[in-house]
Amino acid sequence: MPENRRSRLLPRRGMSLFLLPALLAAGGCSGKGDALSGRYEGSNLVVLIVDTLRADHLGCYGYPRPTTPRIDGLAGESLVFDNATVPIGITLPSHASILTGLYPQNTGSFRNYGRLDDRLLTLAEVLKDRGYRTGAVVGTAVLKSSKNLGQGFDAYLENFASREWVPGSKNQVKRRKGTAEDGLRLAREWIEEDPGRPFFLMVNLYDVHAPFILPPEFQGRFRSRGDDPEMAARFGEEGWRSVAGDPDKAALIDDYDAALAYTDAEIGKFLDALEREGLDGETIVVVTADHGEELYQHRDYASHGMYLYDGETRVPLLIRLPDRTRTGRVETVAESVDLFPSLLDLLGIRTEAAVDGVSMIPALEGAGTGKRRAFAMRLPEDERGRPLPRQFMVRDGDTKLIHTLGGETELYRLDRDPWERNDLAAGGGADARTRGLIRSGREWYREEAVDNAAAATLDGETAEDLRALGYLQ
């Protein structure tokens, strides 16, 4: 069984055995008190991962532009997690954490190259061992099959190739990223091959990741000058002032939003297909992201991986249950590593896998006070391969700490300062709570299981992929 292979990697301190209960407090959910653990035994599971999607650009998270009408509709039928975070802001390591329930320290994956250790147990392996069909569709060469994320998947489909409507100048990009339309078409075709068995499907959608390649009907969907008073008023002066008077910066945000609108439309078609086939009432649907995107709100930076502000670390997380008995907002902290144990809990599947995540389900049933802290780290190097000072984030309720080892500390109260503008640690000195958060972050950061280390050799083909997608210069 897969667990036997994984058991060779011994649990470290702080790691949860999924057999043990672990709680996350929920707020604002309807249907509280109904048993959820095991309620959806035998249900299908679909996990849609929208690459590079920051939470605050969706309507259901308060964004004023109509970027996500279909996901907003899904949110009305779902549990919507307001404070979901990822442990690292880059594609391959973050997907590895989602699939294993482990932090990067325990997957050994810190970069967009290398491969996942064969000894690690994935969600696909657990479900395949329980009789599920398992399929994945990936929209980027960053996740190509040689990275070994496909362990446990019956089918691992690579959706990145030429498209008729892609401009010729994008040839190097279009060979390395696919479209949501084609990716979700492949997903539907895979489901239809054997609809009689329960299935687990993971789909990576890469359209929101720059460089943007949009079909004609979405090009120019949103346009602003960078000094748009309506956007400043509705989106918030703190969020919009970073691009005020700069048309080029505003245009990047416009294209980001257009790519999201396109992805949302394709997700809507996929959800419609599930309903037509009578599968929506038999399927748990998850929509989330592997990381967000900084869009000039901090340090005049537009990308991801370099910093630990919410634009990069906070992601959407929606879970729609087959019977829609539980909906509403979940306000407490959640991490992407919590998906592994939580989804298995909903499906009534128990495993001896040692994971870093905790099941969110007991608290959604009305038990416990739950998890308060979430953690994240930045990349080891910048896009030119230069080492970066080690940095981690600790979120404790509404308090967020960013600390550079041997360097500066930043401290924010997100309930009063959601744009992370007012650094409470500025001027030096740290109170007892801040020192405690730093200690907690240091302990988390150093919890490495070095025998899990991925083979992180950057070969020539992978280097070309990463350059085309903007990861290397």
Side-chain angles (χ1 to χ4, degrees), residues 162-205:
S162 300
R163 298 291 171 261
E164 291 298 325
W165 47 262
V166 177
S169 61
K170 300 286 189 179
N171 281 339
Q172 291 302 310
V173 176
K174 71 183 182 181
R175 290 194 291 112
R176 293 173 172 89
K177 64 180 291 185
T179 68
E181 177 183 7
D182 288 327
L184 291 169
R185 174 183 53 78
L186 288 172
R188 292 193 300 270
E189 291 173 353
W190 178 81
I191 291 172
E192 292 166 0
E193 289 175 4
D194 187 4
R197 288 174 57 197
F199 62 83
F200 164 46
L201 172 68
M202 182 195 79
V203 183
N204 162 269
L205 302 168

mmCIF file of all heavy atoms in Angstrom, residues 162-205:
data_model
loop_
_atom_site.group_PDB
_atom_site.id
_atom_site.type_symbol
_atom_site.label_atom_id
_atom_site.label_comp_id
_atom_site.label_asym_id
_atom_site.label_seq_id
_atom_site.Cartn_x
_atom_site.Cartn_y
_atom_site.Cartn_z
ATOM 1 N N SER A 162 0.432 24.607 -29.151
ATOM 2 C CA SER A 162 0.054 25.739 -29.993
ATOM 3 C C SER A 162 -1.451 25.909 -30.067
ATOM 4 O O SER A 162 -2.205 24.951 -29.997
ATOM 5 C CB SER A 162 0.605 25.544 -31.405
ATOM 6 O OG SER A 162 2.011 25.454 -31.375
ATOM 7 N N ARG A 163 -1.891 27.159 -30.245
ATOM 8 C CA ARG A 163 -3.304 27.457 -30.421
ATOM 9 C C ARG A 163 -3.437 28.428 -31.587
ATOM 10 O O ARG A 163 -2.629 29.346 -31.748
ATOM 11 C CB ARG A 163 -3.895 28.100 -29.151
ATOM 12 C CG ARG A 163 -3.818 27.187 -27.940
ATOM 13 C CD ARG A 163 -4.745 25.980 -28.067
ATOM 14 N NE ARG A 163 -4.511 25.023 -27.008
ATOM 15 C CZ ARG A 163 -3.780 23.936 -27.137
ATOM 16 N NH1 ARG A 163 -3.193 23.660 -28.285
ATOM 17 N NH2 ARG A 163 -3.628 23.110 -26.132
ATOM 18 N N GLU A 164 -4.465 28.265 -32.391
ATOM 19 C CA GLU A 164 -4.600 29.067 -33.609
ATOM 20 C C GLU A 164 -4.661 30.560 -33.332
ATOM 21 O O GLU A 164 -4.128 31.363 -34.082
ATOM 22 C CB GLU A 164 -5.862 28.635 -34.370
ATOM 23 C CG GLU A 164 -5.770 27.241 -34.979
ATOM 24 C CD GLU A 164 -4.659 27.133 -36.009
ATOM 25 O OE1 GLU A 164 -4.414 28.126 -36.716
ATOM 26 O OE2 GLU A 164 -4.022 26.076 -36.095
ATOM 27 N N TRP A 165 -5.335 30.960 -32.217
ATOM 28 C CA TRP A 165 -5.547 32.380 -32.003
ATOM 29 C C TRP A 165 -4.397 33.067 -31.265
ATOM 30 O O TRP A 165 -4.430 34.251 -31.016
ATOM 31 C CB TRP A 165 -6.847 32.633 -31.245
ATOM 32 C CG TRP A 165 -7.064 31.783 -30.029
ATOM 33 C CD1 TRP A 165 -7.811 30.655 -29.944
ATOM 34 C CD2 TRP A 165 -6.544 31.989 -28.714
ATOM 35 N NE1 TRP A 165 -7.780 30.137 -28.675
ATOM 36 C CE2 TRP A 165 -7.018 30.944 -27.897
ATOM 37 C CE3 TRP A 165 -5.727 32.956 -28.145
ATOM 38 C CZ2 TRP A 165 -6.695 30.832 -26.548
ATOM 39 C CZ3 TRP A 165 -5.401 32.848 -26.798
ATOM 40 C CH2 TRP A 165 -5.883 31.795 -26.020
ATOM 41 N N VAL A 166 -3.322 32.302 -30.943
ATOM 42 C CA VAL A 166 -2.203 32.899 -30.223
ATOM 43 C C VAL A 166 -1.323 33.686 -31.182
ATOM 44 O O VAL A 166 -0.933 33.168 -32.221
ATOM 45 C CB VAL A 166 -1.369 31.805 -29.525
ATOM 46 C CG1 VAL A 166 -0.156 32.426 -28.849
ATOM 47 C CG2 VAL A 166 -2.220 31.068 -28.518
ATOM 48 N N PRO A 167 -0.986 34.940 -30.872
ATOM 49 C CA PRO A 167 -0.115 35.710 -31.766
ATOM 50 C C PRO A 167 1.231 35.023 -31.955
ATOM 51 O O PRO A 167 1.746 34.377 -31.049
ATOM 52 C CB PRO A 167 0.051 37.047 -31.015
ATOM 53 C CG PRO A 167 -1.107 37.105 -30.074
ATOM 54 C CD PRO A 167 -1.425 35.691 -29.703
ATOM 55 N N GLY A 168 1.801 35.201 -33.145
ATOM 56 C CA GLY A 168 3.060 34.547 -33.443
ATOM 57 C C GLY A 168 4.189 34.948 -32.517
ATOM 58 O O GLY A 168 5.120 34.178 -32.283
ATOM 59 N N SER A 169 4.129 36.161 -31.975
ATOM 60 C CA SER A 169 5.188 36.631 -31.092
ATOM 61 C C SER A 169 5.230 35.866 -29.780
ATOM 62 O O SER A 169 6.177 35.994 -29.016
ATOM 63 C CB SER A 169 4.999 38.119 -30.797
ATOM 64 O OG SER A 169 3.765 38.341 -30.140
ATOM 65 N N LYS A 170 4.185 35.087 -29.516
ATOM 66 C CA LYS A 170 4.117 34.357 -28.264
ATOM 67 C C LYS A 170 4.515 32.890 -28.438
ATOM 68 O O LYS A 170 4.217 32.055 -27.583
ATOM 69 C CB LYS A 170 2.690 34.418 -27.691
ATOM 70 C CG LYS A 170 2.199 35.826 -27.397
ATOM 71 C CD LYS A 170 2.858 36.404 -26.166
ATOM 72 C CE LYS A 170 2.210 37.715 -25.763
ATOM 73 N NZ LYS A 170 2.813 38.277 -24.555
ATOM 74 N N ASN A 171 5.203 32.551 -29.530
ATOM 75 C CA ASN A 171 5.481 31.151 -29.806
ATOM 76 C C ASN A 171 6.204 30.450 -28.663
ATOM 77 O O ASN A 171 5.904 29.299 -28.351
ATOM 78 C CB ASN A 171 6.318 31.015 -31.088
ATOM 79 C CG ASN A 171 5.462 31.158 -32.338
ATOM 80 O OD1 ASN A 171 4.256 30.968 -32.271
ATOM 81 N ND2 ASN A 171 6.085 31.511 -33.450
ATOM 82 N N GLN A 172 7.189 31.119 -28.053
ATOM 83 C CA GLN A 172 7.936 30.470 -26.983
ATOM 84 C C GLN A 172 7.059 30.237 -25.759
ATOM 85 O O GLN A 172 7.270 29.274 -25.022
ATOM 86 C CB GLN A 172 9.152 31.327 -26.604
ATOM 87 C CG GLN A 172 10.210 31.377 -27.688
ATOM 88 C CD GLN A 172 10.720 29.982 -28.044
ATOM 89 O OE1 GLN A 172 11.095 29.197 -27.180
ATOM 90 N NE2 GLN A 172 10.701 29.670 -29.330
ATOM 91 N N VAL A 173 6.090 31.113 -25.537
ATOM 92 C CA VAL A 173 5.200 30.952 -24.391
ATOM 93 C C VAL A 173 4.159 29.888 -24.655
ATOM 94 O O VAL A 173 3.890 29.024 -23.823
ATOM 95 C CB VAL A 173 4.520 32.296 -24.046
ATOM 96 C CG1 VAL A 173 3.529 32.113 -22.919
ATOM 97 C CG2 VAL A 173 5.571 33.324 -23.678
ATOM 98 N N LYS A 174 3.567 29.904 -25.854
ATOM 99 C CA LYS A 174 2.423 29.028 -26.102
ATOM 100 C C LYS A 174 2.810 27.555 -26.104
ATOM 101 O O LYS A 174 1.953 26.694 -25.956
ATOM 102 C CB LYS A 174 1.726 29.411 -27.409
ATOM 103 C CG LYS A 174 2.492 29.092 -28.678
ATOM 104 C CD LYS A 174 1.706 29.592 -29.887
ATOM 105 C CE LYS A 174 2.426 29.254 -31.189
ATOM 106 N NZ LYS A 174 1.692 29.737 -32.352
ATOM 107 N N ARG A 175 4.103 27.256 -26.283
ATOM 108 C CA ARG A 175 4.531 25.875 -26.185
ATOM 109 C C ARG A 175 4.690 25.432 -24.736
ATOM 110 O O ARG A 175 4.982 24.264 -24.481
ATOM 111 C CB ARG A 175 5.857 25.683 -26.936
ATOM 112 C CG ARG A 175 5.718 25.790 -28.440
ATOM 113 C CD ARG A 175 6.949 25.280 -29.176
ATOM 114 N NE ARG A 175 8.106 26.152 -28.990
ATOM 115 C CZ ARG A 175 9.203 25.820 -28.300
ATOM 116 N NH1 ARG A 175 9.266 24.645 -27.690
ATOM 117 N NH2 ARG A 175 10.224 26.650 -28.196
ATOM 118 N N ARG A 176 4.512 26.367 -23.799
ATOM 119 C CA ARG A 176 4.756 26.048 -22.400
ATOM 120 C C ARG A 176 3.570 26.350 -21.495
ATOM 121 O O ARG A 176 3.638 26.142 -20.298
ATOM 122 C CB ARG A 176 5.994 26.815 -21.925
ATOM 123 C CG ARG A 176 7.267 26.328 -22.618
ATOM 124 C CD ARG A 176 8.465 27.187 -22.291
ATOM 125 N NE ARG A 176 9.690 26.587 -22.804
ATOM 126 C CZ ARG A 176 10.187 26.801 -24.020
ATOM 127 N NH1 ARG A 176 9.545 27.605 -24.857
ATOM 128 N NH2 ARG A 176 11.310 26.218 -24.409
ATOM 129 N N LYS A 177 2.496 26.898 -22.034
ATOM 130 C CA LYS A 177 1.280 27.082 -21.243
ATOM 131 C C LYS A 177 0.069 26.825 -22.119
ATOM 132 O O LYS A 177 0.057 27.164 -23.306
ATOM 133 C CB LYS A 177 1.224 28.482 -20.614
ATOM 134 C CG LYS A 177 1.150 29.633 -21.598
ATOM 135 C CD LYS A 177 1.105 30.990 -20.880
ATOM 136 C CE LYS A 177 -0.172 31.233 -20.140
ATOM 137 N NZ LYS A 177 -0.266 32.588 -19.549
ATOM 138 N N GLY A 178 -0.926 26.186 -21.545
ATOM 139 C CA GLY A 178 -2.139 25.877 -22.283
ATOM 140 C C GLY A 178 -3.262 26.805 -21.895
ATOM 141 O O GLY A 178 -3.096 27.727 -21.092
ATOM 142 N N THR A 179 -4.428 26.577 -22.470
ATOM 143 C CA THR A 179 -5.587 27.425 -22.200
ATOM 144 C C THR A 179 -6.580 26.705 -21.307
ATOM 145 O O THR A 179 -6.664 25.469 -21.288
ATOM 146 C CB THR A 179 -6.294 27.807 -23.506
ATOM 147 O OG1 THR A 179 -6.886 26.630 -24.075
ATOM 148 C CG2 THR A 179 -5.316 28.413 -24.502
ATOM 149 N N ALA A 180 -7.344 27.490 -20.576
ATOM 150 C CA ALA A 180 -8.392 26.912 -19.731
ATOM 151 C C ALA A 180 -9.416 26.158 -20.578
ATOM 152 O O ALA A 180 -9.914 25.100 -20.168
ATOM 153 C CB ALA A 180 -9.069 28.020 -18.924
ATOM 154 N N GLU A 181 -9.729 26.685 -21.752
ATOM 155 C CA GLU A 181 -10.700 26.016 -22.618
ATOM 156 C C GLU A 181 -10.250 24.601 -22.941
ATOM 157 O O GLU A 181 -11.014 23.641 -22.799
ATOM 158 C CB GLU A 181 -10.887 26.818 -23.905
ATOM 159 C CG GLU A 181 -11.834 26.156 -24.905
ATOM 160 C CD GLU A 181 -11.958 26.929 -26.196
ATOM 161 O OE1 GLU A 181 -11.214 27.921 -26.382
ATOM 162 O OE2 GLU A 181 -12.796 26.537 -27.032
ATOM 163 N N ASP A 182 -9.008 24.452 -23.368
ATOM 164 C CA ASP A 182 -8.525 23.131 -23.738
ATOM 165 C C ASP A 182 -8.305 22.243 -22.523
ATOM 166 O O ASP A 182 -8.566 21.038 -22.564
ATOM 167 C CB ASP A 182 -7.236 23.257 -24.542
ATOM 168 C CG ASP A 182 -7.479 23.786 -25.947
ATOM 169 O OD1 ASP A 182 -8.544 23.487 -26.515
ATOM 170 O OD2 ASP A 182 -6.616 24.510 -26.457
ATOM 171 N N GLY A 183 -7.804 22.822 -21.438
ATOM 172 C CA GLY A 183 -7.583 22.029 -20.245
ATOM 173 C C GLY A 183 -8.863 21.445 -19.685
ATOM 174 O O GLY A 183 -8.923 20.259 -19.316
ATOM 175 N N LEU A 184 -9.914 22.242 -19.613
ATOM 176 C CA LEU A 184 -11.171 21.747 -19.064
ATOM 177 C C LEU A 184 -11.908 20.856 -20.057
ATOM 178 O O LEU A 184 -12.685 19.982 -19.656
ATOM 179 C CB LEU A 184 -12.026 22.928 -18.611
ATOM 180 C CG LEU A 184 -11.444 23.651 -17.385
ATOM 181 C CD1 LEU A 184 -12.148 24.960 -17.120
ATOM 182 C CD2 LEU A 184 -11.506 22.750 -16.151
ATOM 183 N N ARG A 185 -11.653 21.028 -21.359
ATOM 184 C CA ARG A 185 -12.180 20.064 -22.334
ATOM 185 C C ARG A 185 -11.527 18.698 -22.128
ATOM 186 O O ARG A 185 -12.209 17.664 -22.116
ATOM 187 C CB ARG A 185 -11.927 20.550 -23.756
ATOM 188 C CG ARG A 185 -12.324 19.524 -24.837
ATOM 189 C CD ARG A 185 -11.995 20.009 -26.232
ATOM 190 N NE ARG A 185 -10.611 20.423 -26.371
ATOM 191 C CZ ARG A 185 -9.590 19.577 -26.506
ATOM 192 N NH1 ARG A 185 -9.794 18.269 -26.492
ATOM 193 N NH2 ARG A 185 -8.358 20.043 -26.637
ATOM 194 N N LEU A 186 -10.210 18.670 -21.939
ATOM 195 C CA LEU A 186 -9.524 17.410 -21.642
ATOM 196 C C LEU A 186 -10.069 16.784 -20.366
ATOM 197 O O LEU A 186 -10.232 15.561 -20.273
ATOM 198 C CB LEU A 186 -8.023 17.651 -21.509
ATOM 199 C CG LEU A 186 -7.240 17.950 -22.786
ATOM 200 C CD1 LEU A 186 -5.811 18.351 -22.441
ATOM 201 C CD2 LEU A 186 -7.240 16.731 -23.708
ATOM 202 N N ALA A 187 -10.342 17.623 -19.372
ATOM 203 C CA ALA A 187 -10.886 17.115 -18.107
ATOM 204 C C ALA A 187 -12.256 16.472 -18.320
ATOM 205 O O ALA A 187 -12.533 15.382 -17.797
ATOM 206 C CB ALA A 187 -10.981 18.256 -17.098
ATOM 207 N N ARG A 188 -13.124 17.123 -19.096
ATOM 208 C CA ARG A 188 -14.454 16.555 -19.351
ATOM 209 C C ARG A 188 -14.338 15.240 -20.121
ATOM 210 O O ARG A 188 -15.054 14.267 -19.819
ATOM 211 C CB ARG A 188 -15.316 17.558 -20.133
ATOM 212 C CG ARG A 188 -15.688 18.799 -19.345
ATOM 213 C CD ARG A 188 -16.788 19.588 -20.041
ATOM 214 N NE ARG A 188 -16.408 20.047 -21.366
ATOM 215 C CZ ARG A 188 -15.818 21.206 -21.610
ATOM 216 N NH1 ARG A 188 -15.513 22.025 -20.617
ATOM 217 N NH2 ARG A 188 -15.526 21.567 -22.852
ATOM 218 N N GLU A 189 -13.459 15.211 -21.104
ATOM 219 C CA GLU A 189 -13.295 13.977 -21.878
ATOM 220 C C GLU A 189 -12.790 12.842 -21.004
ATOM 221 O O GLU A 189 -13.216 11.693 -21.156
ATOM 222 C CB GLU A 189 -12.336 14.222 -23.046
ATOM 223 C CG GLU A 189 -12.911 15.139 -24.116
ATOM 224 C CD GLU A 189 -11.893 15.515 -25.178
ATOM 225 O OE1 GLU A 189 -10.695 15.162 -25.017
ATOM 226 O OE2 GLU A 189 -12.275 16.175 -26.167
ATOM 227 N N TRP A 190 -11.893 13.145 -20.093
ATOM 228 C CA TRP A 190 -11.379 12.104 -19.201
ATOM 229 C C TRP A 190 -12.490 11.577 -18.286
ATOM 230 O O TRP A 190 -12.612 10.368 -18.087
ATOM 231 C CB TRP A 190 -10.223 12.650 -18.367
ATOM 232 C CG TRP A 190 -9.679 11.635 -17.408
ATOM 233 C CD1 TRP A 190 -8.797 10.630 -17.676
ATOM 234 C CD2 TRP A 190 -10.031 11.511 -16.026
ATOM 235 N NE1 TRP A 190 -8.573 9.883 -16.546
ATOM 236 C CE2 TRP A 190 -9.314 10.409 -15.512
ATOM 237 C CE3 TRP A 190 -10.867 12.225 -15.177
ATOM 238 C CZ2 TRP A 190 -9.409 10.007 -14.179
ATOM 239 C CZ3 TRP A 190 -10.973 11.825 -13.852
ATOM 240 C CH2 TRP A 190 -10.253 10.727 -13.366
ATOM 241 N N ILE A 191 -13.309 12.469 -17.756
ATOM 242 C CA ILE A 191 -14.424 12.029 -16.912
ATOM 243 C C ILE A 191 -15.348 11.101 -17.690
ATOM 244 O O ILE A 191 -15.797 10.062 -17.185
ATOM 245 C CB ILE A 191 -15.210 13.245 -16.383
ATOM 246 C CG1 ILE A 191 -14.364 14.038 -15.382
ATOM 247 C CG2 ILE A 191 -16.524 12.808 -15.729
ATOM 248 C CD1 ILE A 191 -14.992 15.354 -14.949
ATOM 249 N N GLU A 192 -15.622 11.447 -18.946
ATOM 250 C CA GLU A 192 -16.588 10.694 -19.753
ATOM 251 C C GLU A 192 -16.082 9.314 -20.145
ATOM 252 O O GLU A 192 -16.886 8.452 -20.542
ATOM 253 C CB GLU A 192 -16.930 11.491 -21.013
ATOM 254 C CG GLU A 192 -17.722 12.765 -20.721
ATOM 255 C CD GLU A 192 -17.769 13.709 -21.910
ATOM 256 O OE1 GLU A 192 -17.188 13.365 -22.969
ATOM 257 O OE2 GLU A 192 -18.358 14.804 -21.779
ATOM 258 N N GLU A 193 -14.790 9.053 -20.031
ATOM 259 C CA GLU A 193 -14.260 7.750 -20.401
ATOM 260 C C GLU A 193 -14.802 6.631 -19.528
ATOM 261 O O GLU A 193 -14.964 5.497 -19.985
ATOM 262 C CB GLU A 193 -12.726 7.765 -20.323
ATOM 263 C CG GLU A 193 -12.050 8.575 -21.410
ATOM 264 C CD GLU A 193 -10.551 8.650 -21.200
ATOM 265 O OE1 GLU A 193 -10.049 8.007 -20.241
ATOM 266 O OE2 GLU A 193 -9.877 9.343 -21.982
ATOM 267 N N ASP A 194 -15.081 6.925 -18.255
ATOM 268 C CA ASP A 194 -15.569 5.890 -17.340
ATOM 269 C C ASP A 194 -16.382 6.554 -16.238
ATOM 270 O O ASP A 194 -15.949 6.650 -15.095
ATOM 271 C CB ASP A 194 -14.390 5.110 -16.753
ATOM 272 C CG ASP A 194 -14.849 3.916 -15.923
ATOM 273 O OD1 ASP A 194 -16.070 3.651 -15.859
ATOM 274 O OD2 ASP A 194 -13.977 3.252 -15.322
ATOM 275 N N PRO A 195 -17.575 7.036 -16.567
ATOM 276 C CA PRO A 195 -18.351 7.812 -15.596
ATOM 277 C C PRO A 195 -18.925 6.978 -14.456
ATOM 278 O O PRO A 195 -19.457 7.538 -13.495
ATOM 279 C CB PRO A 195 -19.478 8.411 -16.451
ATOM 280 C CG PRO A 195 -19.640 7.435 -17.576
ATOM 281 C CD PRO A 195 -18.261 6.905 -17.866
ATOM 282 N N GLY A 196 -18.830 5.662 -14.528
ATOM 283 C CA GLY A 196 -19.451 4.827 -13.519
ATOM 284 C C GLY A 196 -18.654 4.675 -12.240
ATOM 285 O O GLY A 196 -19.185 4.225 -11.231
ATOM 286 N N ARG A 197 -17.379 5.034 -12.252
ATOM 287 C CA ARG A 197 -16.538 4.893 -11.067
ATOM 288 C C ARG A 197 -16.306 6.248 -10.425
ATOM 289 O O ARG A 197 -16.258 7.269 -11.106
ATOM 290 C CB ARG A 197 -15.177 4.289 -11.450
ATOM 291 C CG ARG A 197 -15.220 2.831 -11.825
ATOM 292 C CD ARG A 197 -13.844 2.402 -12.322
ATOM 293 N NE ARG A 197 -12.803 2.661 -11.337
ATOM 294 C CZ ARG A 197 -11.496 2.687 -11.636
ATOM 295 N NH1 ARG A 197 -11.098 2.519 -12.887
ATOM 296 N NH2 ARG A 197 -10.604 2.905 -10.683
ATOM 297 N N PRO A 198 -16.158 6.285 -9.091
ATOM 298 C CA PRO A 198 -15.816 7.566 -8.460
ATOM 299 C C PRO A 198 -14.449 8.033 -8.949
ATOM 300 O O PRO A 198 -13.554 7.220 -9.214
ATOM 301 C CB PRO A 198 -15.807 7.241 -6.970
ATOM 302 C CG PRO A 198 -15.604 5.769 -6.883
ATOM 303 C CD PRO A 198 -16.259 5.196 -8.101
ATOM 304 N N PHE A 199 -14.282 9.337 -9.076
ATOM 305 C CA PHE A 199 -13.043 9.856 -9.624
ATOM 306 C C PHE A 199 -12.513 11.026 -8.808
ATOM 307 O O PHE A 199 -13.261 11.735 -8.146
ATOM 308 C CB PHE A 199 -13.227 10.288 -11.087
ATOM 309 C CG PHE A 199 -14.215 11.401 -11.303
ATOM 310 C CD1 PHE A 199 -13.855 12.737 -11.143
ATOM 311 C CD2 PHE A 199 -15.533 11.117 -11.684
ATOM 312 C CE1 PHE A 199 -14.771 13.763 -11.346
ATOM 313 C CE2 PHE A 199 -16.448 12.135 -11.890
ATOM 314 C CZ PHE A 199 -16.070 13.463 -11.722
ATOM 315 N N PHE A 200 -11.188 11.194 -8.888
ATOM 316 C CA PHE A 200 -10.513 12.382 -8.380
ATOM 317 C C PHE A 200 -9.842 13.046 -9.569
ATOM 318 O O PHE A 200 -9.045 12.435 -10.275
ATOM 319 C CB PHE A 200 -9.465 12.009 -7.332
ATOM 320 C CG PHE A 200 -8.476 13.107 -7.030
ATOM 321 C CD1 PHE A 200 -8.888 14.420 -6.820
ATOM 322 C CD2 PHE A 200 -7.116 12.821 -6.948
ATOM 323 C CE1 PHE A 200 -7.980 15.429 -6.556
ATOM 324 C CE2 PHE A 200 -6.187 13.825 -6.672
ATOM 325 C CZ PHE A 200 -6.612 15.128 -6.476
ATOM 326 N N LEU A 201 -10.166 14.316 -9.773
ATOM 327 C CA LEU A 201 -9.615 15.089 -10.882
ATOM 328 C C LEU A 201 -8.986 16.366 -10.348
ATOM 329 O O LEU A 201 -9.630 17.122 -9.625
ATOM 330 C CB LEU A 201 -10.721 15.447 -11.878
ATOM 331 C CG LEU A 201 -10.352 16.415 -13.003
ATOM 332 C CD1 LEU A 201 -9.364 15.774 -13.967
ATOM 333 C CD2 LEU A 201 -11.607 16.878 -13.742
ATOM 334 N N MET A 202 -7.730 16.607 -10.698
ATOM 335 C CA MET A 202 -7.054 17.871 -10.399
ATOM 336 C C MET A 202 -6.747 18.574 -11.710
ATOM 337 O O MET A 202 -6.216 17.947 -12.639
ATOM 338 C CB MET A 202 -5.752 17.631 -9.641
ATOM 339 C CG MET A 202 -5.024 18.933 -9.262
ATOM 340 S SD MET A 202 -3.298 18.694 -8.750
ATOM 341 C CE MET A 202 -2.472 18.514 -10.355
ATOM 342 N N VAL A 203 -7.078 19.865 -11.802
ATOM 343 C CA VAL A 203 -6.808 20.639 -13.008
ATOM 344 C C VAL A 203 -6.047 21.905 -12.630
ATOM 345 O O VAL A 203 -6.495 22.675 -11.770
ATOM 346 C CB VAL A 203 -8.101 21.020 -13.753
ATOM 347 C CG1 VAL A 203 -7.753 21.758 -15.058
ATOM 348 C CG2 VAL A 203 -8.942 19.784 -14.051
ATOM 349 N N ASN A 204 -4.886 22.103 -13.255
ATOM 350 C CA ASN A 204 -4.137 23.349 -13.125
ATOM 351 C C ASN A 204 -4.479 24.247 -14.306
ATOM 352 O O ASN A 204 -4.373 23.844 -15.457
ATOM 353 C CB ASN A 204 -2.630 23.061 -13.097
ATOM 354 C CG ASN A 204 -1.793 24.297 -13.395
ATOM 355 O OD1 ASN A 204 -1.458 24.559 -14.547
ATOM 356 N ND2 ASN A 204 -1.471 25.051 -12.360
ATOM 357 N N LEU A 205 -4.924 25.464 -14.019
ATOM 358 C CA LEU A 205 -5.298 26.447 -15.037
ATOM 359 C C LEU A 205 -4.308 27.600 -14.971
ATOM 360 O O LEU A 205 -4.200 28.279 -13.939
ATOM 361 C CB LEU A 205 -6.728 26.930 -14.802
ATOM 362 C CG LEU A 205 -7.785 25.819 -14.814
ATOM 363 C CD1 LEU A 205 -9.113 26.329 -14.288
ATOM 364 C CD2 LEU A 205 -7.943 25.253 -16.216
#
